[in-house]
Amino acid sequence: MTTAAVKEHIVKEITAESFEQEVNQHGGKVLVDFYAPWCQPCKMIAPVVEQIAEEQPQLKVVKVDADNAQELMAKFGIRGIPTLLLVENGEVVNTQVGAASVSQVRTFVGE
């Protein structure tokens, strides 16, 4: 993958308002990272999520600031962060709570 292609495929930060369009209406797999800027385990998993985004260009990867998305947190029953959701064609197919290694996230997204 060229450097330009890697830079093009970055982790996009979305809001609760854009979740429906960015995630549920996307026609493939989406990895959603619920995080907060003050959360230490969230900071630990951020580079892992970015690496997965670079390795798997067919996978859409987005981040949601949990502090600004309380309704989404309640909708998905998220009680702790970081939480990763794997959404396929608008349906949550997998959930993982807590920091994880690259190999764990690869397995989670079904590499």
Side-chain angles (χ1 to χ4, degrees):
M1 189 180 286
T2 66
T3 305
V6 169
K7 285 183 181 167
E8 233 173 76
H9 188 77
I10 56 171
V11 178
K12 180 178 182 180
E13 179 134 3
I14 64 169
T15 63
E17 292 75 26
S18 63
F19 191 89
E20 177 69 27
Q21 179 184 357
E22 294 283 351
V23 178
N24 293 336
Q25 295 177 10
H26 182 73
K29 284 185 179 180
V30 183
L31 178 62
V32 183
D33 176 15
F34 281 88
Y35 81 101
W38 48 263
C39 164
Q40 204 57 42
C42 299
K43 291 176 185 176
M44 291 167 50
I45 199 170
V48 171
V49 171
E50 289 168 14
Q51 182 173 337
I52 296 297
E54 289 175 10
E55 290 177 0
Q56 300 192 28
Q58 78 286 358
L59 180 69
K60 183 173 184 176
V61 182
V62 297
K63 294 175 70 137
V64 177
D65 185 335
D67 289 340
N68 300 326
Q70 294 301 313
E71 280 185 30
L72 280 179
M73 300 276 290
K75 177 181 176 182
F76 293 114
I78 297 170
R79 293 187 181 91
I81 53 173
T83 291
L84 299 178
L85 296 182
L86 186 62
V87 180
E88 192 165 5
N89 301 318
E91 298 290 323
V92 176
V93 294
N94 209 347
T95 305
Q96 180 166 321
V97 180
S101 68
V102 172
S103 62
Q104 288 171 317
V105 176
R106 281 187 192 127
T107 301
F108 174 77
V109 299
E111 184 185 71

